[in-house]
Amino acid sequence: MIKIEEIYSNYIDHLSEEWKKNNPSDKKMYRASSSGMCSRKIFIETCLDVEPTNLPNRKTFRIFRLGQIIHEDLQNAIELDSKRKRKEAKEKENIYIRENFIEKYIEIPEINVRGYIDLVVRMSDDKVYVYDFKSIASYPYKLKFGRKANRETDPSIHQEMQLSIYGHAIREEFGRLDGLFLVYYNKDTSMIRTTEVSMDYIDHSVDFWYGVNRIHKQAKALDTLPPFLDGVSPVKKWECSYCNYKDYCEERP
């Protein structure tokens, strides 16, 4: 009997290594996906020459892979649909997707941030929209979209901040931005919900990264880690349990 689980896990490892070869990381720049997260963790990840030690187990990597597959399917579906409808929409003079950009790379030099955007679309009427895809399990999906009594009382705004920093980059590049959207895919039920995110988050996200740059500059000057500070390091206490760099955080003052 062949070991299917081990073979699949090795395949996921192979895909990860191939991605790293084709997308070399620039550890001198902050990742946009860390928007709204622990400043101390961001410092260790970006400013120190260390590798993560508290890595997920192989089962968790298989769960991550499922999320990646969902992302790829959604992106491919949009690409195919855009091609099919473009000609028809032109003939009927309907509004259609004139251009779509998948996994669009962005850099924001003034705050030293880089990232990849799941989807940017420019419509035939020139409006520009940014989408970020999130695959989540039933419980967090219920907290987000369930009856009012089931929703979180103090939800994280990390995803909104990540999306809005993408929006900032696109507005700078395209000269306009007309909407920000989070698309949630429930991995257990295949339900899909799209929510519009207020563009008011953009200023908040930009301010967050200016603050990170300022705190990290001070930490470098003192040769220490950024201080523990509620709402900043960490932003949410649960972050520590999942942090890939918590061993370094605990070792240094």
Side-chain angles (χ1 to χ4, degrees):
M1 183 178 71
I2 61 174
K3 298 179 179 178
I4 298 294
E5 181 179 322
E6 181 180 341
I7 290 170
Y8 187 53
S9 290
N10 290 339
Y11 172 70
I12 292 171
D13 291 343
H14 165 75
L15 291 178
S16 177
E17 289 303 315
E18 287 297 304
W19 191 92
K20 288 175 184 176
K21 284 181 190 176
N22 296 324
N23 300 273
S25 66
D26 183 355
K27 291 198 73 175
K28 295 178 182 178
M29 295 191 78
Y30 301 118
R31 292 186 301 116
S33 57
S34 294
S35 296
M37 301 196 80
C38 175
S39 176
R40 197 172 168 98
K41 182 253 186 184
I42 295 170
F43 183 89
I44 297 170
E45 176 185 53
T46 311
C47 303
L48 301 184
D49 187 22
V50 297
E51 294 297 322
T53 57
N54 185 41
L55 292 173
N57 59 32
R58 301 193 92 181
K59 176 186 174 182
T60 304
F61 278 120
R62 293 197 297 273
I63 294 172
F64 291 165
R65 176 59 187 161
L66 179 59
Q68 291 166 356
I69 292 169
I70 291 168
H71 272 63
E72 290 168 8
D73 271 2
L74 288 171
Q75 290 166 335
N76 290 337
I78 289 163
E79 177 76 22
L80 180 61
D81 187 70
S82 297
K83 288 178 179 178
R84 283 177 174 172
K85 290 183 176 177
R86 206 166 281 150
K87 183 178 179 182
E88 179 185 340
K90 283 180 182 178
E91 292 171 352
K92 294 183 178 180
E93 297 186 353
N94 292 335
I95 294 173
Y96 58 94
I97 297 174
R98 190 170 77 227
E99 293 180 287
N100 55 276
F101 307 88
I102 291 172
E103 290 294 318
K104 179 172 173 56
Y105 180 74
I106 54 101
E107 286 188 4
I108 312 172
E110 65 268 24
I111 49 176
N112 197 38
V113 169
R114 64 182 176 88
Y116 292 88
I117 307 174
D118 286 339
L119 176 67
V120 181
V121 296
R122 177 151 51 191
M123 309 301 291
S124 57
D125 61 357
D126 287 330
K127 288 185 177 179
V128 177
Y129 302 106
V130 176
Y131 292 81
D132 197 32
F133 303 140
K134 301 294 181 187
S135 55
I136 58 176
S138 286
Y139 182 69
Y141 190 91
K142 182 179 179 181
L143 289 178
K144 189 167 289 291
F145 299 114
R147 290 179 301 175
K148 188 174 181 180
N150 294 327
R151 297 188 184 179
E152 294 175 280
T153 55
D154 183 27
S156 168
I157 60 169
H158 154 63
Q159 293 172 349
E160 288 81 359
M161 290 183 67
Q162 176 186 354
L163 174 65
S164 61
I165 207 66
Y166 293 152
H168 170 73
I170 292 303
R171 188 165 63 183
E172 292 293 303
E173 179 178 343
F174 286 68
R176 69 181 295 169
L177 177 67
D178 298 279
L180 297 168
F181 299 91
L182 285 169
V183 181
Y184 291 95
Y185 187 105
N186 186 323
K187 291 183 287 188
D188 299 320
T189 65
S190 295
M191 294 285 289
I192 299 176
R193 288 279 293 269
T194 300
T195 62
E196 186 167 6
V197 173
S198 170
M199 286 195 280
D200 291 343
Y201 277 104
I202 291 177
D203 288 342
H204 184 41
S205 297
V206 173
D207 287 345
F208 168 83
W209 283 112
Y210 273 117
V212 165
N213 278 272
R214 183 176 61 255
I215 291 170
H216 290 186
K217 183 178 179 181
Q218 294 168 350
K220 287 176 184 177
L222 296 171
D223 191 28
T224 187
L225 296 179
F228 286 111
L229 183 63
D230 257 1
V232 178
S233 296
V235 178
K236 300 285 183 182
K237 288 185 169 39
W238 56 258
E239 288 182 74
C240 298
S241 300
Y242 299 94
C243 180
N244 294 343
Y245 295 90
K246 70 177 185 178
D247 294 341
Y248 300 104
C249 189
E250 292 166 352
E251 287 173 4
R252 296 185 58 170

